[in-house]
Amino acid sequence: TGLASQTLVRAMSSSSGPTSPYTTLSISRPAEAITHVELHRPEKRNAMNKAFWSEMVHCFNEITVDPECRVVVFSAAGKIFTAGIDLMDMAGDILQPEGDDTARISWNLRKTVTSYQETFSVIEKCPKPVVVAVHGACVGGGIDLITACDIRLCTQDAWFQVKEVDIGLAADVGTLQRLPKVIGSRSLVNELALTARKMYADEAKSSGLVSRVFANKEDMMAGALEMAGEIADRSPVAVQGTKINLIYARDHSVADGLNYVATWNMSMLQTQDVMKSVQAAMEKKSPKAVTFSKL
Amino acid sequence: TGLASQTLVRAMSSSSGPTSPYTTLSISRPAEAITHVELHRPEKRNAMNKAFWSEMVHCFNEITVDPECRVVVFSAAGKIFTAGIDLMDMAGDILQPEGDDTARISWNLRKTVTSYQETFSVIEKCPKPVVVAVHGACVGGGIDLITACDIRLCTQDAWFQVKEVDIGLAADVGTLQRLPKVIGSRSLVNELALTARKMYADEAKSSGLVSRVFANKEDMMAGALEMAGEIADRSPVAVQGTKINLIYARDHSVADGLNYVATWNMSMLQTQDVMKSVQAAMEKKSPKAVTFSKL
Amino acid sequence: TGLASQTLVRAMSSSSGPTSPYTTLSISRPAEAITHVELHRPEKRNAMNKAFWSEMVHCFNEITVDPECRVVVFSAAGKIFTAGIDLMDMAGDILQPEGDDTARISWNLRKTVTSYQETFSVIEKCPKPVVVAVHGACVGGGIDLITACDIRLCTQDAWFQVKEVDIGLAADVGTLQRLPKVIGSRSLVNELALTARKMYADEAKSSGLVSRVFANKEDMMAGALEMAGEIADRSPVAVQGTKINLIYARDHSVADGLNYVATWNMSMLQTQDVMKSVQAAMEKKSPKAVTFSKL
Amino acid sequence: TGLASQTLVRAMSSSSGPTSPYTTLSISRPAEAITHVELHRPEKRNAMNKAFWSEMVHCFNEITVDPECRVVVFSAAGKIFTAGIDLMDMAGDILQPEGDDTARISWNLRKTVTSYQETFSVIEKCPKPVVVAVHGACVGGGIDLITACDIRLCTQDAWFQVKEVDIGLAADVGTLQRLPKVIGSRSLVNELALTARKMYADEAKSSGLVSRVFANKEDMMAGALEMAGEIADRSPVAVQGTKINLIYARDHSVADGLNYVATWNMSMLQTQDVMKSVQAAMEKKSPKAVTFSKL
Amino acid sequence: TGLASQTLVRAMSSSSGPTSPYTTLSISRPAEAITHVELHRPEKRNAMNKAFWSEMVHCFNEITVDPECRVVVFSAAGKIFTAGIDLMDMAGDILQPEGDDTARISWNLRKTVTSYQETFSVIEKCPKPVVVAVHGACVGGGIDLITACDIRLCTQDAWFQVKEVDIGLAADVGTLQRLPKVIGSRSLVNELALTARKMYADEAKSSGLVSRVFANKEDMMAGALEMAGEIADRSPVAVQGTKINLIYARDHSVADGLNYVATWNMSMLQTQDVMKSVQAAMEKKSPKAVTFSKL
Amino acid sequence: TGLASQTLVRAMSSSSGPTSPYTTLSISRPAEAITHVELHRPEKRNAMNKAFWSEMVHCFNEITVDPECRVVVFSAAGKIFTAGIDLMDMAGDILQPEGDDTARISWNLRKTVTSYQETFSVIEKCPKPVVVAVHGACVGGGIDLITACDIRLCTQDAWFQVKEVDIGLAADVGTLQRLPKVIGSRSLVNELALTARKMYADEAKSSGLVSRVFANKEDMMAGALEMAGEIADRSPVAVQGTKINLIYARDHSVADGLNYVATWNMSMLQTQDVMKSVQAAMEKKSPKAVTFSKL
């Protein structure tokens, strides 16, 4: 994390605005094989408006098929990570849904919720690992977002809040499904979800929500980049197969997971990457020294 | 947690005995929308006798349909939380079950165990969150009980013991099923269940079994009441939907959980509570300021 | 952990070599009902060669049916726990699998991986609890091994590394399936599996991978023996039923797990061990004072 | 099926009315160990009114614990089996459910539907086999009822109609869940459920909905009694274990089902009934010649 | 099925070619609320080329959100239903997939197969029932297609062939997953899939693959239209809820299915359609007489 | 089925006795790539004795790894297929199991049952299709056996009987788990399992238990051989992948099954067999004309 990387990080943070065609996301390539996605509505405290919900799907579908990208860093511009859903912009969909009777209104609401769920599920369906770096407040929809990411980092001043219960609803775009599988204490999960209390960085670390806490955003971004670099240096066959199998394992029995990975690896073990990696290991070289084909 | 609440807590703790028709449970309403259930056989160290096993079912079935109750605090009277099963009272059912041959004895034992399981499963089936406050010893059946609750608190002098292996049996009313989904360290779960060693408050906190530790019972009861108050202040549509979906998610894949909550919320989002809560949020009012209809 | 036990431990550690017919495992009985399995290729840093993969299956199948054994302690000889897979010895199977075309090579690879998976799954299928004691490095296949054990202990100098991604593959003999169900922080699991970074004893303890850390190997072996003794003293009907039901519960819903344990216990509660244990408990005797029949 | 049985059947059919405390069910014991439950609102075409929905639960809970009953025959009095739900009586619950807003109305509706589901699920939870004998029309709720039974018989003039789609709703008390697992042709299931067309006895037989068709009700009742007699003559340990395991198998994988039945039979094989039955078999006696203890 | 409908059917069959922007599908509206999708590459025996695989997804996504469509009839132009996959057109994707090594080729093949699976899964995800009408040969991919439809009809001259084993592969776009859940005889499923033998209309009917057989295509199309009309006349809330719940039930236990439909119907029962339908039923009117809002 | 094949069949039937080291099975190779396994204890009506239960496991494990075998025909010598379990030989294991108390007896019984289950599960785990040909009586354990096979054929004089209920037990080696997934009518499954009535060839055919009925054993064996030949002529990569995926699909949701087959085929599609088969198909040659490598 020397000078060069600090410059890099500063460059990342000074992004001048969303990347067209997006209006809420800024996309860059801070280093080889690393895509940086920045939530970029700082003037609105990165609140998630209608555009955001669909741009995320588009963005991660692109990343999924981009052979130049092997790992993603996700962070947010401005003072806080996100204030959550943009109630002003979304109110119509949720508070005044269309429909001739209750059943038809319900039908439309379900369609809306299902499509919002997809906004974060694309992160999981993308086989490239996503490292999320949180600073300041991460509220409501922010929790749904980060629990769908693979690795969570935060700054010392970060705080987290499952907010949905405060606006009269059960969280329905991922928090209730993923949070209990992300941290180990069910009592804590329930407390957070039922009381909407804030959780600060230290408890986020001790509870396992994040795996590292950094003194400030600059350090965190450097740390995130370094970690992403570690991942990007390794075989994409190994890395993406690992993500896919970790997610499969979460939702199946151990026996099913073992069967699946055996079937997965019957072809994936035939990659040149194993040979190249083994050779590097025997020559005491780091994976960074190896050039892997694109995937 | 000022003077008023301390008085309240003292009142709760000085309950003069079980509430008819119960002989092991004392029921009260320490604050609006909060039901306090106290295990009350202090002279028997709150050992779980036959009456207890059936009274719990009756009590939580009542709570489930009581529109005045939105959240439950569960604690125990006397010096300890519970010594576990009352071997004297239960010995007949378990040690001398009826039946003409092994198969028929087995049939009856299975009926007994299944009915005892229901004693704690009712806590889970009740959509109202249950905050359990543990002081002193929590042994054997006590672990089965608290792992079926939603939020666990304890005093500094509390200790926990999965005791069943000491009396020659695999725990069969919930501990082995729920404990591994309640705390994150499987090594610890196995150690506790296989060696019956005691776990004290600090480890209970660091392992995630409890989410808060209090200096003494009075503080804990005040803390439990305050937390219950936070929950009771929020929309019951949001709170109870959250509990139901958290439990559903535990037993299903993430995809199944997302499908379920979308189907759940297609009607629940149509509640006035969302509108009222959003309005309060925009006006920077707390949820406490909003009056929600009963559920 | 007096002098006697220290002598015992020293005896365990000074084992003169593998126990015939094994070439990689040393088997002993340090105390009644306790089997000690020691990974014993110290000159090769306990790397897992072909012989190891099949000897483990043979060894644990023997242990499963050995009525004299009630609990297993697994440790390793020499300076470190294990360097993981023995690439030199295994390279052929993995790097040059046989087959006339890609499909046939894949078919053979799947057969190989499936058989390697069995090497660790036998630990889980064996109903006797396995306490694993780790010192020094535990790399690659070592993680697959220890996550299949029931209770994990380590020395202060131990470190852990999910290494597979470094040699170009997704771990396929258990780590990706079991690690997320063994520790509570999914962010940490992903970080370890995707970056291959080392984790030291303190983080292993705080994350819940191990449940105890000891100053050195001697202390750890004494502690492991003592813990194994606690388990061995208890009813084997209770202990082995507990292990079987804990593993069943991991892979099923709570409702399914409750149904299963009720069906399990309808016969197991008819053991004399319950009567004997209850009587001992009433007489304030320890389980050690009771003699249980073999299972 | 000689004279005696015909008399018996006639007696069964001439039941003078519901059996107190029931108002919609007539209960009798036409032969040893056989309980006959007759849906008895002939003047209302056996339409399912509010009383029926709760009486069924009460009735089958009684049967479950009645040691004198080993098998149930279910049929209906009057001209047809059932016209389905009694819209007049039920309209309030369904058309004008209570609740202050959509969410609260939904909450109450879900409670109602869940309780109606229980009306037929009790048939499945009762371990005693239920033979259902259908004559004339079996409409709407009738299909929900018979698909929860174990063996289906009908008369030549019987017809079946999944009616719910005609009154604007997706069937929600069992038909959509059980019918596809009851008959083999998914195209037929879909056609019946989506078009509400009638299916007559011949197609019911060829599709596997019923396993036997009789010329008239008298013959059918004699056939049902004879079949029930065959079941009642056999070991209740064997019969009820068979029902429980068949239902378990429906909802689990084959591997899970095998694990469950092995755990079930580890005690059930210790019944005297096996010894008695084997002895009878070796002496070429029929099971009828054996006296089994009650279960 | 009078003159008018025959004219209609003739009109349907004389479609002059694919409907822009499609090149393999012809879309029409033969009657109110009914969409007719015709596979239209008659000169190529309706072989499934690359265009077809993506046009199906586009087409059914359109149908899903088209409020004017309540039910779909799917049939094929020309002499036969389909010859299956267009090997000429598809050979590249399957026989010469891109990739630098085996793992990367495998990765690309999996992406291709997964996207082809979606071609038929969209039929299932579309909540509107799909009636498929088969004439002449239905080979290979044709079986994958029709097993994803809801109701299957065929002409007397139709025949069916699971062809994949003949070209060296295990069917991977739906047949092996859905066929066993579509027909009741597993022996027959296995025989068809393992020997690639033809099955003719009579066996297709008796085995339950199709629910009706017609003398010729004209009669079948009239029959399909009539059946579609029956479905289109009913409440779309009821019809589409029925399809969604039938598919959910296939993939879950009965208990899970009941829970899901109760949660589904807590809102859907609040539709005006129930009131309108009940009123019509009481007035002995057919559902056709009722006008339902769009969904 | 000309003269040559009849001679072949006669040769198959005149096998002079079990093939060493087996005492209950006769193994032969009637045609290239086809293994014929004949149950051969005709003087004991092919009753299943202790030797049989273990020889089956050994035999099918051999077949699994025998590259010369691509398909299996299973039939029985003598007058009937099998009388089921050999009560005389097995009585000890089941009626007088060892153990110091009920729990230990249960433990041993479970071990026994689990090992007997494996006897038939090996048929399913063997990836080579098994065609079973039944003549005369197929009783008790015979049903467990044939439901684990892939394709069932029988003679006109065959009959089937789920016998276990007659000897006082719930069938525990496969019938209750597999039969409901093998035939479409659940009412029939229940009737057969609960009443132990015989089912004759015609009903076996119409219910889908068997897919073909032959006039006599000679014809059936010719038919079985011919069908086996059809399978043996096809690509073993295609055939065995088909069996594995059909069995996987039975125990998983459609979505899971599709995911699995896509992962399976990402390597298997790279076989030369596809190229060879496609070429043959284009040249209008039969698969028989193609030579496939061994698997």
Side-chain angles (χ1 to χ4, degrees), chain E residues 132-134 152-156 158 160 201 204 210 212-214 220:
Chain E
V132 67
V134 180
R152 279 163 291 282
L153 315 176
C154 76
T155 56
Q156 191 60 51
F160 303 85
V210 301
R212 294 206 203 162
V213 180
F214 295 84
M220 175 174 67

Side-chain angles (χ1 to χ4, degrees), chain D:
Chain D
T1 72
L3 256 189
S5 122
Q6 280 187 28
T7 313
L8 202 61
V9 171
R10 208 164 301 124
M12 286 168 73
S13 305
S14 65
S15 74
S16 54
T19 309
S20 177
Y22 303 122
T23 63
T24 65
L25 301 175
S26 164
I27 315 296
S28 62
R29 174 133 307 159
E32 205 191 325
I34 303 178
T35 299
H36 179 216
V37 179
E38 191 183 39
L39 175 48
H40 199 286
R41 288 187 83 209
E43 74 291 357
K44 295 289 187 184
R45 300 165 69 234
N46 293 318
M48 296 163 163
N49 62 351
K50 278 192 198 183
F52 166 80
W53 293 98
S54 66
E55 290 179 3
M56 278 289 288
V57 176
H58 188 257
C59 170
F60 275 88
N61 282 342
E62 295 268 300
I63 287 170
T64 295
V65 296
D66 173 5
E68 306 296 332
C69 169
R70 292 188 183 172
V71 59
V72 179
V73 172
F74 191 104
S75 67
K79 300 223 166 140
I80 67 167
F81 187 75
T82 180
I85 206 170
D86 184 334
L87 279 173
M88 291 305 187
D89 193 63
M90 312 287 289
D93 276 17
I94 293 173
L95 299 181
Q96 288 140 357
E98 289 185 15
D100 283 356
D101 64 5
T102 299
R104 286 163 174 84
I105 293 170
S106 300
W107 187 273
N108 290 330
L109 275 171
R110 185 168 180 268
K111 210 158 57 179
T112 304
V113 170
T114 300
S115 104
Y116 289 171
Q117 290 178 344
E118 188 63 11
T119 295
F120 302 136
S121 293
V122 285
I123 300 175
E124 230 170 74
K125 288 175 190 163
C126 172
K128 291 148 195 192
V130 181
V131 179
V132 67
V134 179
H135 72 289
C138 175
V139 175
I143 307 293
D144 295 284
L145 189 158
I146 67 170
T147 51
C149 297
D150 299 291
I151 301 176
R152 279 163 291 283
L153 314 177
C154 77
T155 56
Q156 191 59 51
D157 74 346
W159 53 270
F160 303 85
Q161 192 176 20
V162 181
K163 186 71 177 171
E164 283 88 343
V165 79
D166 268 3
I167 54 169
L169 57 96
D172 54 10
V173 290
T175 289
L176 300 188
Q177 287 66 48
R178 293 197 183 92
L179 189 58
K181 300 180 178 182
V182 154
I183 71 180
S185 168
R186 193 155 183 99
S187 184
L188 179 60
V189 167
N190 291 337
E191 190 189 324
L192 296 172
L194 292 167
T195 68
R197 82 155 161 90
K198 295 179 184 178
M199 176 163 76
Y200 295 95
D202 287 348
E203 195 176 8
K205 176 70 172 64
S206 70
S207 70
L209 177 61
V210 301
S211 43
R212 295 205 202 162
V213 179
F214 295 84
N216 53 52
K217 194 181 176 188
E218 191 167 73
D219 286 3
M220 175 175 67
M221 291 312 294
L225 261 189
E226 192 184 12
M227 188 182 286
E230 289 292 320
I231 296 172
D233 285 344
R234 284 166 172 79
S235 155
V237 171
V239 163
Q240 300 184 30
T242 295
K243 173 165 177 176
I244 286 171
N245 276 283
L246 278 167
I247 288 177
Y248 187 93
R250 180 192 63 195
D251 292 330
H252 292 82
S253 70
V254 166
D256 256 14
L258 289 171
N259 181 350
Y260 191 77
V261 76
T263 305
W264 179 267
N265 263 0
M266 69 178 169
S267 47
M268 292 300 158
L269 290 177
Q270 297 180 56
T271 179
Q272 305 159 343
D273 299 17
V274 172
M275 188 66 90
K276 289 177 182 173
S277 299
V278 167
Q279 203 162 351
M282 287 178 170
E283 295 169 5
K284 308 284 179 198
K285 287 183 190 158
S286 112
K288 198 189 296 285
V290 186
T291 304
F292 298 109
S293 289
K294 274 166 195 149
L295 185 66

Side-chain angles (χ1 to χ4, degrees), chain B residues 222-233:
Chain B
L225 261 189
E226 192 184 13
M227 189 184 286
E230 289 293 320
I231 297 173
D233 285 344

Side-chain angles (χ1 to χ4, degrees), chain A residues 96-255:
Chain A
Q96 288 141 357
E98 289 185 15
D100 284 356
D101 62 5
T102 299
R104 285 161 176 84
I105 292 169
S106 300
W107 188 273
N108 290 332
L109 276 171
R110 186 168 179 270
K111 211 158 58 180
T112 303
V113 171
T114 300
S115 105
Y116 289 169
Q117 291 178 343
E118 189 63 13
T119 294
F120 301 134
S121 293
V122 286
I123 300 175
E124 227 170 76
K125 287 176 191 162
C126 171
K128 291 149 196 192
V130 181
V131 179
V132 67
V134 180
H135 72 290
C138 175
V139 176
I143 307 292
D144 296 285
L145 188 158
I146 66 170
T147 51
C149 297
D150 300 293
I151 299 176
R152 279 163 291 282
L153 314 176
C154 76
T155 55
Q156 191 59 52
D157 74 345
W159 52 270
F160 303 85
Q161 191 176 20
V162 181
K163 186 75 178 170
E164 283 87 345
V165 79
D166 267 3
I167 53 168
L169 55 95
D172 55 7
V173 290
T175 290
L176 300 188
Q177 287 66 50
R178 292 194 183 95
L179 189 59
K181 299 178 179 183
V182 154
I183 71 180
S185 167
R186 193 156 183 98
S187 183
L188 178 60
V189 168
N190 290 337
E191 191 189 321
L192 296 172
L194 291 168
T195 69
R197 82 156 161 90
K198 296 180 184 177
M199 176 164 76
Y200 295 96
D202 288 348
E203 194 176 9
K205 175 70 172 67
S206 70
S207 71
L209 177 62
V210 302
S211 41
R212 296 204 202 164
V213 179
F214 295 84
N216 53 53
K217 194 180 176 190
E218 192 167 73
D219 286 3
M220 174 174 69
M221 292 311 295
L225 261 188
E226 192 183 12
M227 189 184 287
E230 289 293 318
I231 296 173
D233 285 344
R234 284 167 170 78
S235 155
V237 170
V239 164
Q240 300 184 31
T242 296
K243 172 165 177 176
I244 287 170
N245 276 284
L246 278 168
I247 289 176
Y248 188 92
R250 179 192 64 195
D251 293 330
H252 292 82
S253 70
V254 167

Side-chain angles (χ1 to χ4, degrees), chain E residues 41-213:
Chain E
R41 289 186 84 210
E43 74 291 358
K44 296 288 187 183
R45 301 165 68 233
N46 293 318
M48 296 162 164
N49 61 352
K50 278 193 200 184
F52 166 80
W53 293 99
S54 66
E55 290 178 4
M56 279 288 288
V57 177
H58 188 257
C59 170
F60 274 88
N61 282 343
E62 295 268 299
I63 287 170
T64 296
V65 297
D66 174 6
E68 305 296 332
C69 169
R70 291 189 184 172
V71 60
V72 179
V73 173
F74 192 102
S75 66
K79 300 221 166 142
I80 68 167
F81 186 75
T82 180
I85 206 170
D86 185 334
L87 278 173
M88 292 304 190
D89 193 61
M90 312 287 288
D93 276 17
I94 293 172
L95 299 181
Q96 288 141 356
E98 289 185 15
D100 283 356
D101 64 4
T102 299
R104 287 162 174 83
I105 293 170
S106 300
W107 188 273
N108 290 331
L109 275 170
R110 185 166 180 272
K111 210 159 58 180
T112 304
V113 170
T114 300
S115 105
Y116 288 170
Q117 290 177 344
E118 188 63 13
T119 296
F120 301 134
S121 292
V122 286
I123 300 175
E124 229 170 76
K125 288 176 191 163
C126 172
K128 291 147 195 192
V130 181
V131 179
V132 67
V134 180
H135 72 290
C138 174
V139 175
I143 307 294
D144 295 285
L145 189 158
I146 66 170
T147 51
C149 296
D150 300 293
I151 300 177
R152 279 163 291 282
L153 315 176
C154 76
T155 56
Q156 191 60 51
D157 74 347
W159 53 271
F160 303 85
Q161 192 177 19
V162 181
K163 186 73 177 169
E164 284 86 345
V165 79
D166 268 2
I167 53 168
L169 56 96
D172 55 9
V173 289
T175 290
L176 300 189
Q177 287 65 51
R178 292 196 184 93
L179 189 58
K181 300 179 178 183
V182 154
I183 71 180
S185 169
R186 192 153 183 99
S187 184
L188 179 60
V189 168
N190 290 337
E191 191 189 323
L192 295 171
L194 292 168
T195 68
R197 82 156 162 89
K198 296 179 182 176
M199 176 164 76
Y200 295 96
D202 287 351
E203 195 177 8
K205 176 71 171 66
S206 71
S207 71
L209 177 62
V210 301
S211 43
R212 294 206 203 162
V213 180

